[in-house]
DNA sequence: TATGAATGAGATTTCATTCAT
DNA sequence: GATGAATGAAATCTCATTCAT
């Protein structure tokens, strides 16, 4: 019989990759990164341990990919304003996306949060993260400066913190958290 | 030399306990709970591995104690209002303590946060945590109800989230975070 | 296109075999037998892992073939004297071939040497090797007996060892080893 | 009960170290470095796998220690001549020690030889080895220069090679190799 | 013939915990 | 109370080999 075509292999790989990432997400969410073992992920994905290493070179890398997914999702949804000047419309969009991205997939977001408490994992991202966040910081700073706030830097830091806090609460207790009502409060207070 | 009294023994034990907890805090903060080993903690504390088990029955328990410390510190500082009715003064105090407790010891607080991303550790606390937090929830709910807020529940959740967010940012970047300015904003906005 | 003839198929197979052996030789030489993986060899040969097993039944067998190549090369070059009586001319030829065979392809020779330190690999050859070497041993023994040496057996063992030593040094450091000068010394001393 | 004294621990460690090294030597000799597993070494030593890592940080390190043993043994036995000028007496001693060191412990010597065929292992030593050998090279070179040899460099290389070859043969077949007779030949021919 | 995904056994290594002293 | 050697279970990762296509 003839071997599979290049494209068939591509498809298999693509699918299996997703399958593994999904399984890993589930395991990491259930047990945390360290307690979740490769064996468990393999079982969850219905494949052998060895195969995972055909797709990802280490456990760290799997985590990395999952976390990057959060960023990518954000940047896919968020449209940067022209000239990097933040408009009200853009701010609204920022808040909405920040909320939606967590509400849509709290588990994946949990991984993102794990970064901040686990130095070993944090190290994997720190540099990239800083760089990505810089433009936002500047835009918010300008926004509150223009609005005539007394202390725009503090306001910016506070708003960032508050949004992160909301994200965290949604992540921890999506069922009971009044997402829509809080969204309204956020928009009213900060924009 | 005369044999030590019972009380002297107690003191020695208590000091050694503190010594171990301090070492553990340092190691957990530096490397994260899982990467920090008992051997490392023992070395940091200047004692043998075995002795640690004379004071704590497991690594988990050490973490537990450290995290409980955060609560205890909070409840030591916070004076509950009479009748559990939150006054403005009391609210101010709540916010101030919430901020100070992090700013005074960000590393210890990091452990507290780690809870929320590591299910295994979370399980150690969940029940107790819920119970402790309930009175606050009710007080804040009443507070905003009395103030005539349209949606006091949402407001309460938002405020909690925002405070947590601020705590997180202080924890991550105490050096640069404008703690005092943000404290003012918090008080102005929420009380 | 006309279908390939049986002979053409044979040729293709033979070429592919050589291609694999060459790749394996390169990998084994670079990384050693155990560190070199089938995947690596396949990549080096520009084929798939699976195909290797179409030509060789195991990694061990590839090594075997490579090592046998060293013997075969030797026996292809060396012409046994009539009656298995060693003449001076024949001795000279033996020494020359022994040197040339290493100098021409030190890497392949390295595999041959590896045998002697890796019992697992040694086992693959021991019996055959002994048998092949016997006639030489007898010829050298006679040679030195006839020359009137006091202890021909010891002399024979010494000469074998010295030649092996020279081979080893050429193998390890062909660039700097004064092959031709040492060849002269060998011939002068032993023949 | 009181804990063991520092010295008691020292003793335990020293003994266990030797025990492990001995077991490792046996396993490496029997099966070769790669086929010999830590599990096997532990079993041979009558201890748990884990304990080995209490004494040696990796399998590589165990090998390293064993091989260093060969050098150390040599340098312990060999007394460098004054001014690094080789005398006949010193040369005799060099040859004798070279032979004895193998004959006394062929298995350990096998490890030393393994270096030359396994790049991964070779890398662990190359630099150190080169440095250690340099003085000998110079001394031999001078020796044959002074004796008026036509090509002292080639002679030196040849002698080194021959001695190595003899060592190899002793290592492979100590039972049948006429060590004493060959020793005599070596001394007569080279000194 | 040819491909590379998939397996599974086994390797090294780590480390919380126990225990004899 | 104190020590650190010792254990043993489990984790990550590797890789020769098989097999569906």
């Amino acid at each position: 019989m003839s071997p599979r075509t290049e494209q068939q292999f591509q498809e298999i790989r693509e699918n299996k990759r997703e399958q593994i990432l999904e399984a890993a997400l589930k395991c990491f969410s259930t047990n945390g990164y360290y307690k979740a073992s490769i064996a468990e992920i393999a079982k969850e994905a219905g494949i052998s341990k060895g195969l995972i290493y055909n797709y990802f070179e280490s456990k760290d890398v799997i985590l990395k990919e999952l976390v990057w997914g959060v960023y990518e999702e954000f940047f896919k949804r968020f449209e940067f304003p022209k000239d990097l000047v933040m408009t009200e419309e853009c701010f609204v969009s920022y808040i909405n996306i920040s909320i939606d991205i967590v509400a849509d997939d709290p588990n994946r977001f949990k991984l993102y949060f794990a970064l901040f408490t686990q130095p070993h994992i944090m190290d994997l991202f720190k540099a990239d993260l800083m760089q990505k966040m810089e433009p936002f910081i500047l835009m918010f700073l300008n926004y509150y400066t223009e609005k005539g706030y007394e202390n725009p830097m503090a306001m910016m830091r506070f708003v960032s913190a508050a949004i992160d806090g909301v994200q965290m609460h949604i992540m921890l207790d999506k069922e009971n958290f009044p997402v829509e009502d809080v969204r309204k409060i956020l928009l009213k207070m900060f924009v």
Side-chain angles (χ1 to χ4, degrees), chain A residues 156-170:
Chain A
M156 181 270 286
R157 299 293 304 239
F158 171 59
V159 172
S160 302
I163 293 173
D164 282 353
V166 169
Q167 288 184 311
M168 191 170 68
H169 278 229
I170 295 173

Side-chain angles (χ1 to χ4, degrees), chain A residues 20 22 29-30 71 74 78 134 138 142 144 178 180 191:
Chain A
I20 293 170
E22 233 167 88
S29 301
T30 310
Y71 295 119
F74 185 92
F78 183 76
E134 219 189 343
L138 292 176
N142 287 333
Y144 286 115
E180 292 316 315
V191 180

Side-chain angles (χ1 to χ4, degrees), chain A residues 11 16 45 97 110 119 134 142 145-146 161 165:
Chain A
E11 247 169 67
K16 196 68 72 173
I97 293 171
K110 206 176 284 181
E134 219 189 343
N142 287 333
T145 306
E146 303 238 324

Side-chain angles (χ1 to χ4, degrees), chain A residues 144-145 147-155:
Chain A
Y144 286 115
T145 306
K147 280 231 169 178
Y149 271 69
E150 194 186 340
N151 193 337
M153 168 61 91
M155 189 61 191

Side-chain angles (χ1 to χ4, degrees), chain A residues 73-161:
Chain A
E73 188 59 30
F74 185 92
F75 287 106
K76 209 167 72 188
R77 296 191 194 188
F78 183 76
E79 200 174 340
F80 271 87
K82 286 177 190 149
D83 312 328
L84 294 182
V85 174
M86 179 148 288
T87 61
E88 286 199 1
E89 185 194 23
C90 175
F91 200 157
V92 169
S93 151
Y94 180 87
I95 287 175
N96 279 327
I97 293 171
S98 296
I99 288 174
D100 293 339
I101 213 169
V102 186
D104 290 355
D105 194 345
N107 277 336
R108 190 177 294 255
F109 202 76
K110 206 176 284 181
L111 293 182
Y112 172 81
F113 257 78
L115 292 186
F116 304 125
T117 60
Q118 296 182 39
H120 166 66
I121 306 180
M122 185 69 170
D123 290 346
L124 301 174
F125 291 93
K126 209 169 188 173
D128 284 316
L129 189 53
M130 288 297 189
Q131 199 193 350
K132 290 244 174 190
M133 285 305 148
E134 219 189 343
F136 290 104
I137 290 174
L138 292 176
M139 287 194 299
F140 282 118
L141 208 51
N142 287 333
Y143 184 82
Y144 286 115
T145 306
E146 303 238 324
K147 280 231 169 178
Y149 271 69
E150 194 186 340
N151 193 337
M153 168 61 91
M155 189 61 191
M156 181 270 286
R157 299 293 304 239
F158 171 59
V159 172
S160 302

